[in-house]
Amino acid sequence: MAPSLLRPASPCLNLAPPTADGPGRSRSAVTIGGSRPLSVSLRVGGSSRRDFPCTTMASRDHSGLTRQLLDFQHGTVDEIDGEHDPFMELKARFMDFKHRNCVDNISNYQNLAQQQTPKFMVVACADSRVCPSSVLGFQPGEAFTVRNIANLVPPYQHGASETSAALEFAVNTLEVENVLVVGHSRCGGIQALMSMKSKQDDSQSRSFIRDWVSIAKSARLSTEAAAGNLNFELQCKHCEKESINSSLLNLLTYPWIEKRVNEGTLSLHGGYYNFIDCTFEKWKLVYRQGLEGGSKYAIKNRTTWS
Protein backbone atom coordinates (compact mmCIF):
# COMPACT_ATOMS: atom_id res chain seq x y z
CA MET A 1 0.00 0.00 0.00
CA ALA A 2 1.38 3.40 -0.98
CA PRO A 3 2.42 5.61 1.94
CA SER A 4 -0.04 8.30 2.94
CA LEU A 5 1.05 11.87 2.26
CA LEU A 6 -1.90 13.34 4.12
CA ARG A 7 -2.95 13.58 7.68
CA PRO A 8 -6.34 14.85 8.77
CA ALA A 9 -7.54 16.85 5.87
CA SER A 10 -18.16 15.44 -1.28
CA PRO A 11 -21.71 14.09 -4.25
CA CYS A 12 -21.15 14.46 -8.09
CA LEU A 13 -22.10 10.98 -9.19
CA ASN A 14 -24.77 8.94 -7.47
CA LEU A 15 -25.04 5.19 -7.64
CA ALA A 16 -28.64 4.17 -7.14
CA PRO A 17 -28.94 0.66 -5.71
CA PRO A 18 -30.98 -1.86 -7.68
CA THR A 19 -34.34 -2.95 -6.36
CA ALA A 20 -35.16 -6.58 -5.71
CA ASP A 21 -37.31 -8.32 -8.29
CA GLY A 22 -37.40 -11.96 -7.39
CA PRO A 23 -34.69 -14.48 -6.53
CA GLY A 24 -31.41 -13.98 -8.36
CA ARG A 25 -32.73 -10.99 -10.24
CA SER A 26 -32.39 -7.26 -9.89
CA ARG A 27 -34.16 -4.44 -11.67
CA SER A 28 -32.89 -0.91 -12.21
CA ALA A 29 -34.77 2.10 -13.53
CA VAL A 30 -33.00 4.31 -16.05
CA THR A 31 -34.37 7.76 -16.78
CA ILE A 32 -33.23 9.68 -19.85
CA GLY A 33 -34.10 13.36 -19.86
CA GLY A 34 -37.79 13.78 -19.17
CA SER A 35 -38.78 10.39 -20.52
CA ARG A 36 -40.38 7.58 -18.57
CA PRO A 37 -38.02 5.11 -16.86
CA LEU A 38 -36.85 2.19 -18.95
CA SER A 39 -36.91 -1.11 -17.08
CA VAL A 40 -33.83 -3.24 -17.40
CA SER A 41 -33.73 -6.67 -15.80
CA LEU A 42 -30.71 -8.95 -15.60
CA ARG A 43 -30.67 -12.46 -14.21
CA VAL A 44 -27.52 -13.31 -12.30
CA GLY A 45 -26.39 -16.44 -10.53
CA GLY A 46 -26.65 -19.67 -12.49
CA SER A 47 -28.64 -18.25 -15.40
CA SER A 48 -27.34 -16.26 -18.34
CA ARG A 49 -30.77 -14.93 -19.28
CA ARG A 50 -31.09 -11.22 -19.91
CA ASP A 51 -34.38 -9.40 -20.44
CA PHE A 52 -34.08 -5.99 -22.09
CA PRO A 53 -37.46 -4.48 -23.04
CA CYS A 54 -35.67 -1.75 -24.98
CA THR A 55 -32.43 -2.76 -26.67
CA THR A 56 -30.44 -0.94 -29.32
CA MET A 57 -27.82 -2.99 -31.12
CA ALA A 58 -24.89 -1.08 -32.57
CA SER A 59 -24.02 -2.02 -36.13
CA ARG A 60 -20.46 -3.14 -36.76
CA ASP A 61 -20.65 -1.59 -40.22
CA HIS A 62 -20.42 2.16 -39.63
CA SER A 63 -19.13 2.99 -43.10
CA GLY A 64 -22.60 4.24 -44.09
CA LEU A 65 -22.53 6.87 -41.35
CA THR A 66 -19.06 7.95 -42.42
CA ARG A 67 -20.22 8.33 -46.02
CA GLN A 68 -23.05 10.57 -44.83
CA LEU A 69 -20.54 12.81 -43.05
CA LEU A 70 -18.26 12.94 -46.09
CA ASP A 71 -21.18 13.81 -48.38
CA PHE A 72 -22.44 16.55 -46.04
CA GLN A 73 -22.53 19.98 -47.64
CA HIS A 74 -21.65 22.84 -45.31
CA GLY A 75 -24.45 25.34 -45.05
CA THR A 76 -27.24 22.80 -45.38
CA VAL A 77 -29.62 22.42 -42.45
CA ASP A 78 -31.80 19.41 -41.70
CA GLU A 79 -35.36 20.01 -40.63
CA ILE A 80 -35.74 20.41 -36.87
CA ASP A 81 -38.95 19.63 -35.09
CA GLY A 82 -40.75 22.15 -32.92
CA GLU A 83 -39.00 21.05 -29.71
CA HIS A 84 -36.22 23.11 -28.15
CA ASP A 85 -32.82 22.20 -29.57
CA PRO A 86 -30.11 22.54 -26.87
CA PHE A 87 -27.43 22.55 -29.56
CA MET A 88 -28.60 25.93 -30.84
CA GLU A 89 -27.15 27.48 -27.69
CA LEU A 90 -23.92 25.56 -28.23
CA LYS A 91 -23.78 26.85 -31.80
CA ALA A 92 -24.11 30.42 -30.54
CA ARG A 93 -21.31 29.82 -28.02
CA PHE A 94 -19.09 28.31 -30.72
CA MET A 95 -19.61 31.26 -33.05
CA ASP A 96 -18.78 33.64 -30.21
CA PHE A 97 -15.66 31.59 -29.43
CA LYS A 98 -14.65 31.60 -33.09
CA HIS A 99 -14.90 35.36 -33.47
CA ARG A 100 -13.30 36.25 -30.13
CA ASN A 101 -10.46 33.74 -30.26
CA CYS A 102 -9.86 32.48 -33.76
CA VAL A 103 -10.77 35.37 -36.05
CA ASP A 104 -9.23 38.00 -33.78
CA ASN A 105 -6.09 35.92 -33.14
CA ILE A 106 -5.63 34.13 -36.42
CA SER A 107 -1.84 33.80 -36.26
CA ASN A 108 -1.97 31.88 -32.99
CA TYR A 109 -4.56 29.48 -34.38
CA GLN A 110 -2.56 28.96 -37.54
CA ASN A 111 0.38 27.93 -35.35
CA LEU A 112 -1.82 25.59 -33.30
CA ALA A 113 -3.03 23.98 -36.51
CA GLN A 114 0.55 22.91 -37.21
CA GLN A 115 1.61 21.64 -33.77
CA GLN A 116 0.90 21.63 -30.04
CA THR A 117 3.49 22.34 -27.35
CA PRO A 118 1.60 22.30 -24.02
CA LYS A 119 3.52 22.77 -20.78
CA PHE A 120 0.90 20.94 -18.72
CA MET A 121 -0.59 17.48 -18.69
CA VAL A 122 -3.79 17.55 -16.60
CA VAL A 123 -5.64 14.57 -15.15
CA ALA A 124 -9.04 15.80 -13.98
CA CYS A 125 -12.43 14.39 -13.02
CA ALA A 126 -15.22 13.95 -15.55
CA ASP A 127 -17.57 15.84 -13.21
CA SER A 128 -19.40 18.54 -15.20
CA ARG A 129 -18.64 21.11 -12.49
CA VAL A 130 -14.87 20.64 -12.71
CA CYS A 131 -13.68 21.78 -16.13
CA PRO A 132 -9.93 22.51 -15.77
CA SER A 133 -9.95 24.94 -18.70
CA SER A 134 -12.65 27.01 -17.01
CA VAL A 135 -11.29 26.72 -13.47
CA LEU A 136 -7.63 27.36 -14.34
CA GLY A 137 -8.11 29.43 -17.47
CA PHE A 138 -6.22 27.17 -19.85
CA GLN A 139 -6.20 28.45 -23.41
CA PRO A 140 -6.04 26.20 -26.49
CA GLY A 141 -2.62 24.60 -26.73
CA GLU A 142 -1.67 25.09 -23.06
CA ALA A 143 -2.81 21.83 -21.44
CA PHE A 144 -3.10 18.27 -22.68
CA THR A 145 -6.02 16.95 -20.65
CA VAL A 146 -7.61 13.60 -19.83
CA ARG A 147 -10.70 13.32 -17.62
CA ASN A 148 -12.05 10.23 -15.91
CA ILE A 149 -14.16 9.24 -12.90
CA ALA A 150 -12.44 10.53 -9.72
CA ASN A 151 -9.36 11.83 -11.60
CA LEU A 152 -7.43 8.59 -11.01
CA VAL A 153 -4.08 7.52 -12.41
CA PRO A 154 -3.78 3.73 -12.53
CA PRO A 155 -0.38 2.19 -11.78
CA TYR A 156 1.84 1.14 -14.68
CA GLN A 157 1.09 -2.52 -13.94
CA HIS A 158 -2.62 -1.92 -14.53
CA GLY A 159 -2.02 -2.01 -18.26
CA ALA A 160 -3.58 -0.02 -21.06
CA SER A 161 -6.22 2.62 -20.36
CA GLU A 162 -7.15 5.96 -21.88
CA THR A 163 -5.35 7.66 -19.00
CA SER A 164 -2.08 5.73 -19.37
CA ALA A 165 -2.19 6.26 -23.15
CA ALA A 166 -2.66 10.01 -22.65
CA LEU A 167 0.23 10.10 -20.18
CA GLU A 168 2.49 8.25 -22.59
CA PHE A 169 1.75 10.67 -25.41
CA ALA A 170 1.96 13.81 -23.26
CA VAL A 171 5.24 12.85 -21.55
CA ASN A 172 7.10 10.99 -24.32
CA THR A 173 5.89 12.81 -27.43
CA LEU A 174 4.80 16.27 -26.30
CA GLU A 175 7.41 16.36 -23.51
CA VAL A 176 5.25 18.33 -21.09
CA GLU A 177 7.04 19.88 -18.13
CA ASN A 178 4.31 19.38 -15.53
CA VAL A 179 1.70 16.74 -14.72
CA LEU A 180 -1.14 18.08 -12.60
CA VAL A 181 -3.72 15.76 -10.99
CA VAL A 182 -6.82 17.78 -10.05
CA GLY A 183 -9.33 16.46 -7.52
CA HIS A 184 -12.40 18.25 -6.22
CA SER A 185 -15.00 18.53 -3.49
CA ARG A 186 -18.05 16.27 -3.27
CA CYS A 187 -16.69 13.73 -5.74
CA GLY A 188 -19.18 10.95 -6.42
CA GLY A 189 -16.40 8.63 -7.59
CA ILE A 190 -14.71 8.94 -4.21
CA GLN A 191 -18.04 8.34 -2.50
CA ALA A 192 -18.35 5.12 -4.49
CA LEU A 193 -14.82 4.18 -3.43
CA MET A 194 -15.51 4.84 0.25
CA SER A 195 -18.73 2.81 0.04
CA MET A 196 -16.77 -0.34 -0.87
CA LYS A 197 -16.41 -1.93 2.55
CA SER A 198 -15.34 -5.50 1.83
CA LYS A 199 -14.27 -7.94 -0.87
CA GLN A 200 -17.65 -9.61 -0.59
CA ASP A 201 -19.40 -6.30 -1.13
CA ASP A 202 -17.16 -5.59 -4.12
CA SER A 203 -17.94 -8.92 -5.78
CA GLN A 204 -21.69 -8.57 -5.30
CA SER A 205 -21.90 -4.99 -6.58
CA ARG A 206 -19.82 -5.11 -9.74
CA SER A 207 -20.03 -2.17 -12.11
CA PHE A 208 -17.71 -0.28 -14.41
CA ILE A 209 -17.54 2.53 -11.84
CA ARG A 210 -16.65 0.26 -8.92
CA ASP A 211 -14.06 -1.61 -10.98
CA TRP A 212 -12.45 1.69 -11.96
CA VAL A 213 -12.41 3.41 -8.56
CA SER A 214 -10.99 0.27 -6.94
CA ILE A 215 -7.69 1.47 -8.40
CA ALA A 216 -7.58 3.84 -5.42
CA LYS A 217 -8.25 1.25 -2.71
CA SER A 218 -4.99 2.18 -0.99
CA ALA A 219 -6.31 5.75 -0.59
CA ARG A 220 -9.48 4.40 1.00
CA LEU A 221 -7.52 2.26 3.44
CA SER A 222 -5.25 5.19 4.35
CA THR A 223 -8.31 7.36 4.89
CA GLU A 224 -9.96 4.78 7.14
CA ALA A 225 -6.76 4.60 9.20
CA ALA A 226 -6.33 8.37 9.51
CA ALA A 227 -9.94 9.58 9.58
CA GLY A 228 -12.02 6.51 10.41
CA ASN A 229 -13.48 8.24 13.46
CA LEU A 230 -15.06 10.97 11.32
CA ASN A 231 -18.44 10.87 9.64
CA PHE A 232 -18.77 9.62 6.06
CA GLU A 233 -18.78 13.07 4.46
CA LEU A 234 -15.55 14.09 6.18
CA GLN A 235 -13.95 10.75 5.34
CA CYS A 236 -14.80 11.36 1.69
CA LYS A 237 -13.31 14.85 1.87
CA HIS A 238 -10.09 13.39 3.28
CA CYS A 239 -10.02 10.66 0.63
CA GLU A 240 -10.51 13.18 -2.16
CA LYS A 241 -7.05 14.53 -1.33
CA GLU A 242 -5.57 11.17 -0.34
CA SER A 243 -6.50 9.75 -3.74
CA ILE A 244 -4.71 12.62 -5.48
CA ASN A 245 -1.50 11.68 -3.69
CA SER A 246 -2.12 8.03 -4.51
CA SER A 247 -2.31 8.98 -8.18
CA LEU A 248 0.89 11.04 -7.89
CA LEU A 249 2.68 8.01 -6.48
CA ASN A 250 1.21 5.84 -9.24
CA LEU A 251 2.71 8.23 -11.79
CA LEU A 252 6.16 7.25 -10.56
CA THR A 253 5.49 3.59 -11.43
CA TYR A 254 5.75 4.56 -15.12
CA PRO A 255 9.46 4.14 -16.00
CA TRP A 256 9.56 7.04 -18.43
CA ILE A 257 7.88 9.35 -15.92
CA GLU A 258 10.21 8.35 -13.09
CA LYS A 259 13.19 8.89 -15.41
CA ARG A 260 12.17 12.42 -16.30
CA VAL A 261 11.35 13.31 -12.69
CA ASN A 262 14.82 12.16 -11.66
CA GLU A 263 16.37 14.16 -14.49
CA GLY A 264 14.48 17.27 -13.38
CA THR A 265 12.67 17.70 -16.70
CA LEU A 266 9.23 16.77 -15.32
CA SER A 267 7.41 17.85 -12.15
CA LEU A 268 4.39 16.20 -10.53
CA HIS A 269 1.71 18.32 -8.87
CA GLY A 270 -1.55 17.83 -7.01
CA GLY A 271 -4.47 20.22 -7.07
CA TYR A 272 -7.78 20.30 -5.18
CA TYR A 273 -10.68 22.43 -6.36
CA ASN A 274 -13.31 23.12 -3.70
CA PHE A 275 -16.33 24.46 -5.56
CA ILE A 276 -18.25 24.94 -2.31
CA ASP A 277 -16.16 27.97 -1.31
CA CYS A 278 -14.35 28.36 -4.67
CA THR A 279 -10.78 27.76 -3.48
CA PHE A 280 -7.95 25.88 -5.12
CA GLU A 281 -5.20 24.07 -3.22
CA LYS A 282 -1.98 23.18 -5.01
CA TRP A 283 1.15 21.23 -4.00
CA LYS A 284 4.18 19.56 -5.56
CA LEU A 285 5.38 16.00 -5.01
CA VAL A 286 9.07 15.62 -4.19
CA TYR A 287 10.65 12.27 -5.10
CA ARG A 288 14.00 11.28 -3.58
CA GLN A 289 15.17 8.26 -5.56
CA GLY A 290 18.05 7.31 -3.29
CA LEU A 291 15.97 6.96 -0.13
CA GLU A 292 13.78 4.09 1.05
CA GLY A 293 10.19 3.81 2.25
CA GLY A 294 7.95 6.78 2.91
CA SER A 295 10.92 9.14 3.20
CA LYS A 296 11.30 8.92 -0.59
CA TYR A 297 8.26 11.16 -0.97
CA ALA A 298 7.37 14.59 0.38
CA ILE A 299 5.07 17.52 -0.34
CA LYS A 300 6.39 21.03 -0.88
CA ASN A 301 5.12 24.41 -2.11
CA ARG A 302 1.66 23.77 -0.67
CA THR A 303 -0.53 26.82 -1.15
CA THR A 304 -4.21 27.76 -1.27
CA TRP A 305 -5.64 30.17 -3.80
CA SER A 306 -8.68 31.89 -2.33
Side-chain angles (χ1 to χ4, degrees), residues 163-209:
T163 301
S164 55
L167 285 166
E168 181 178 355
F169 182 72
V171 174
N172 291 340
T173 302
L174 299 180
E175 297 183 342
V176 297
E177 299 173 5
N178 302 278
V179 177
L180 172 63
V181 180
V182 180
H184 67 94
S185 56
R186 295 186 173 177
C187 180
I190 295 300
Q191 288 186 336
L193 172 66
M194 292 301 297
S195 298
M196 297 166 57
K197 295 300 183 183
S198 66
K199 292 183 178 180
Q200 181 180 7
D201 177 63
D202 293 350
S203 63
Q204 293 178 353
S205 305
R206 298 297 298 275
S207 74
F208 292 132
I209 296 172

Side-chain angles (χ1 to χ4, degrees), residues 60-236:
R60 293 182 181 275
D61 182 11
H62 47 72
S63 58
L65 294 176
T66 305
R67 284 195 297 271
Q68 291 182 38
L69 290 174
L70 293 175
D71 293 340
F72 174 78
Q73 299 296 318
H74 289 284
T76 63
V77 179
D78 293 334
E79 290 187 7
I80 301 176
D81 56 30
E83 295 183 3
H84 172 68
D85 182 6
F87 284 90
M88 292 304 295
E89 182 177 351
L90 295 187
K91 176 184 177 181
R93 294 180 190 179
F94 171 76
M95 297 307 297
D96 179 65
F97 162 83
K98 178 178 179 178
H99 287 289
R100 284 189 299 104
N101 295 276
C102 184
V103 175
D104 295 341
N105 195 8
I106 188 64
S107 61
N108 180 51
Y109 272 76
Q110 288 177 337
N111 292 333
L112 288 175
Q114 301 303 318
Q115 64 176 349
Q116 58 171 324
T117 56
K119 293 183 178 181
F120 297 91
M121 162 67 183
V122 178
V123 181
C125 186
D127 190 300
S128 62
R129 299 165 292 184
V130 192
C131 175
S133 294
S134 295
V135 174
L136 298 174
F138 287 123
Q139 299 302 306
E142 290 185 339
F144 191 82
T145 305
V146 63
R147 299 176 68 177
N148 61 48
I149 297 295
N151 45 271
L152 300 180
V153 174
Y156 179 77
Q157 296 79 5
H158 183 267
S161 71
E162 73 283 0
T163 301
S164 55
L167 285 166
E168 181 178 355
F169 182 72
V171 174
N172 291 340
T173 302
L174 299 180
E175 297 183 342
V176 297
E177 299 173 5
N178 302 278
V179 177
L180 172 63
V181 180
V182 180
H184 67 94
S185 56
R186 295 186 173 177
C187 180
I190 295 300
Q191 288 186 336
L193 172 66
M194 292 301 297
S195 298
M196 297 166 57
K197 295 300 183 183
S198 66
K199 292 183 178 180
Q200 181 180 7
D201 177 63
D202 293 350
S203 63
Q204 293 178 353
S205 305
R206 298 297 298 275
S207 74
F208 292 132
I209 296 172
R210 283 184 173 271
D211 287 349
W212 172 252
V213 299
S214 64
I215 291 170
K217 277 186 177 180
S218 62
R220 188 194 77 196
L221 296 175
S222 296
T223 295
E224 291 173 345
N229 60 320
L230 304 178
N231 62 41
F232 183 75
E233 182 179 357
L234 291 177
Q235 288 185 44
C236 288

